[in-house]
Amino acid sequence: MRARWPAVRSGVQHRLGLIPLGEASIGIAIAAPHRDQAFDACRYIIEAVKQRVPIWKRERREDGSAVWIDPSGHPAAAGPA
């Protein structure tokens, strides 16, 4: 990101563990001279995180059931090993 947008400053925080419904699991803060650069840098960062970090999710449904979602966003038979 720094090579692509040298004037942009960023910070990233990713939460682990059980995240209550409706709460953010990742926060990205961007400071940039221009709004378009900020939005482009933010999109770049979130896509890079999704590619580099194997993020598994366990979605809990209202009926009490749960399903694992693999890093590609698809339901999985089992969670991470």
Side-chain angles (χ1 to χ4, degrees):
M1 190 215 67
R2 288 184 190 135
R4 196 167 184 177
W5 298 281
V8 172
R9 300 295 175 256
S10 65
V12 179
Q13 180 74 41
H14 191 273
R15 292 173 69 185
L16 300 175
L18 181 63
I19 310 296
L21 185 63
E23 289 191 16
S25 60
I26 190 168
I28 302 171
I30 301 287
H34 302 285
R35 186 179 340 171
D36 286 343
Q37 291 175 338
F39 286 124
D40 290 344
C42 187
R43 169 63 64 190
Y44 179 87
I45 289 172
I46 193 65
E47 294 303 327
V49 167
K50 288 168 30 178
Q51 287 177 358
R52 296 175 188 173
V53 179
I55 299 172
W56 284 80
K57 298 182 256 181
R58 187 164 188 228
E59 294 185 355
R60 297 177 186 206
R61 308 273 168 80
E62 284 188 47
D63 66 3
S65 66
V67 62
W68 281 101
I69 305 297
D70 70 18
S72 68
H74 297 98

